[in-house]
Amino acid sequence: MAERRPSQPVDSSRGPTLLYIAGWYFFSMSISVYNKWMFGSGLDFKFPLFVTAFHQLCLFCLSASVLYFRPLLRPTVNGSLSGFWSSLAIAPERYARQILPCGITSAGDIGLSNLSFSYISLSLYTMLKTSSLIFVLIFGLIFRLERFNWRLIVIVVVMTGSVMMMTQKPDLDDNNEAADDDHNPIGIVLVMAASAISGLRWSFTQLLLKKNDHTKHPISTIFYISPAMIVILLVTAIFVERWSAFVSSPIWAIHGVLGVLGLMLVPGFLAFMMTLCEFKLLSVAQVLTLSIAGIFKELLTIMLGSLLFGDRLSLINCVGLVITFLDILWYNYYRYQETGAANINQSYTAVPSSSPDDISLESGSDAIELKQQ
């Protein structure tokens, strides 16, 4: 009788990993497409800063609701206090010193990203936002979060060249003047400024995670950071976009108050769900898996931009994009070798994430932004 062989073990994490990747893809790409439609030529709602402030209000309410019904997710630093608000209390000076810088940079990153949709295509935005790894490394070296290595300099130089290739305007025919607006220099400057602020935000986040016990879970992090973002975005919007122009916009008469509020509510919900998917994904997936999945997500976003909005890319744009992705993979492989497979879950990763409303945090064992972020 033939000997019966034991069945091969099944990787129980594969199913959840694919599920969380699918959720991450869906919510992330939905936010990008929705915001481009809302702030671009689709809905043409020219008040991205006011709308982004409303998004953060939605995130604050959702995170507060989760923390209220799930006490185990609350910070333990005030463990002796049983009340909801008492358990979440934080000293004002500590908030100003540790959390406020993250709120300011997050507001700048997301606000400028959404503002850029009025000037450039979704595809170009997605490509340029992957360049934030340049600024992550630069600020990481400045704040001594990265150990100096010549490989990092090469990575920065190569990606700088690829960004210059991606900003090259494709050849246009006389009947495609609209595509010329997709490479508006103002939009390019806004995205690059958002990428630079994103790198600074990453450094502040790493310092926050090392020193603050209130932000050990992404839900609590959203809860603490979003109020600062609301105030900063709202004050900036009042001066830049003007409250009178916002409330007198024709969109209120066309869609009604409830309709407009509903339109502004959708991205906030999508961003919250994306954050949950990112957190769960990080708990079951390997770093290199995340990097490859992130790159594939950006490619899908660019394809959606082409299909839905008619975005056009030249050959040199595509070559620059490929070089950028290879540079990101090289960086992650370098980090993998440097850290070692045994300790890889304790280090952060660089995974492309161009979603404009992502305020989750860079990944350590306790936090989550999947960043090229």
Side-chain angles (χ1 to χ4, degrees):
M1 178 181 291
E3 182 180 357
R4 185 176 181 179
R5 297 181 179 179
S7 58
Q8 295 294 325
V10 178
D11 185 359
S12 59
S13 67
R14 183 175 300 174
T17 299
L18 294 177
L19 178 63
Y20 298 141
I21 287 177
W24 180 37
Y25 278 19
F26 174 78
F27 292 115
S28 177
M29 291 188 292
S30 295
I31 293 171
S32 297
V33 171
Y34 190 93
N35 283 353
K36 173 57 182 176
W37 169 79
M38 189 173 197
F39 303 129
S41 58
L43 189 62
D44 198 27
F45 195 33
K46 300 298 186 182
F47 301 94
L49 298 181
F50 277 116
V51 174
T52 305
F54 185 80
H55 294 172
Q56 302 313 312
L57 177 61
C58 296
L59 288 172
F60 174 77
C61 294
L62 289 170
S63 61
S65 299
V66 172
L67 292 174
Y68 181 82
F69 291 106
R70 295 289 300 275
L72 293 178
L73 300 182
R74 301 176 196 171
T76 58
V77 65
N78 297 326
S80 60
L81 303 175
S82 57
F84 174 66
W85 293 109
S86 299
S87 65
L88 297 171
I90 182 173
E93 62 274 9
R94 190 173 191 184
Y95 187 93
R97 186 176 65 255
Q98 297 181 2
I99 295 181
L100 185 58
C102 293
I104 294 173
T105 50
S106 296
D109 180 9
I110 297 174
L112 291 175
S113 295
N114 284 337
L115 191 59
S116 70
F117 281 129
S118 299
Y119 300 97
I120 61 174
S121 67
L122 175 61
S123 297
L124 181 59
Y125 164 83
T126 303
M127 291 191 299
L128 293 179
K129 205 61 165 63
T130 60
S131 68
S132 61
L133 178 59
I134 297 174
F135 303 101
V136 166
L137 296 180
I138 291 174
F139 285 111
L141 291 171
I142 292 175
F143 287 94
R144 298 184 179 180
L145 297 169
E146 282 275 7
R147 290 194 299 270
F148 179 82
N149 188 296
W150 284 107
R151 291 187 188 181
L152 299 181
I153 303 300
V154 174
I155 290 171
V156 170
V157 171
V158 170
M159 188 167 291
T160 301
S162 66
V163 168
M164 295 176 65
M165 297 173 68
M166 290 188 293
T167 58
Q168 291 295 314
K169 188 181 301 182
D171 293 332
L172 304 171
D173 52 47
D174 295 335
N175 297 323
N176 201 2
E177 294 180 0
D180 186 61
D181 295 334
D182 289 342
H183 278 66
N184 191 309
I186 296 177
I188 293 174
V189 170
L190 288 172
V191 177
M192 295 309 298
S195 297
I197 295 175
S198 178
L200 183 59
R201 165 189 173 190
W202 175 88
S203 296
F204 286 152
T205 297
Q206 293 300 310
L207 296 173
L208 174 67
L209 294 176
K210 292 179 180 179
K211 299 180 179 179
N212 197 299
D213 294 328
H214 292 78
T215 55
K216 294 301 184 182
H217 191 278
I219 301 299
S220 61
T221 301
I222 293 174
F223 176 83
Y224 287 110
I225 290 182
S226 54
M229 295 180 63
I230 294 170
V231 173
I232 294 165
L233 287 166
L234 189 58
V235 171
T236 305
I238 289 174
F239 285 99
V240 175
E241 297 175 345
R242 293 183 295 112
W243 176 258
S244 58
F246 175 66
V247 297
S248 61
S249 173
I251 193 175
W252 297 97
I254 296 173
H255 296 281
V257 175
L258 293 180
V260 174
L261 292 178
L263 289 170
M264 294 193 296
L265 179 65
V266 170
F269 173 76
L270 293 175
F272 187 78
M273 294 304 298
M274 179 183 66
T275 297
L276 295 182
C277 289
E278 287 179 343
F279 175 69
K280 299 300 293 184
L281 177 59
L282 189 67
S283 67
V284 298
Q286 296 293 324
V287 165
L288 294 181
T289 301
L290 294 177
S291 181
I292 295 171
I295 288 174
F296 188 62
K297 178 178 70 70
E298 302 308 320
L299 289 174
L300 289 178
T301 304
I302 293 170
M303 291 174 61
L304 278 177
S306 179
L307 292 173
L308 299 178
F309 302 110
D311 298 349
R312 294 184 59 185
L313 301 176
S314 66
L315 177 60
I316 193 170
N317 296 152
C318 296
V319 171
L321 180 64
V322 171
I323 293 175
T324 299
F325 285 158
L326 291 176
D327 211 25
I328 292 170
L329 283 175
W330 181 26
Y331 170 74
N332 279 279
Y333 181 69
Y334 158 71
R335 291 292 303 179
Y336 184 86
Q337 285 187 317
E338 182 186 61
T339 308
N343 299 319
I344 194 65
N345 288 329
Q346 298 299 320
S347 66
Y348 64 86
T349 181
V351 181
S353 178
S354 60
S355 305
D357 284 292
D358 189 355
I359 68 169
S360 51
L361 300 179
E362 284 76 13
S363 59
S365 56
D366 298 309
I368 64 166
E369 186 172 21
L370 308 179
K371 176 178 280 292
Q372 71 277 20
Q373 196 159 234

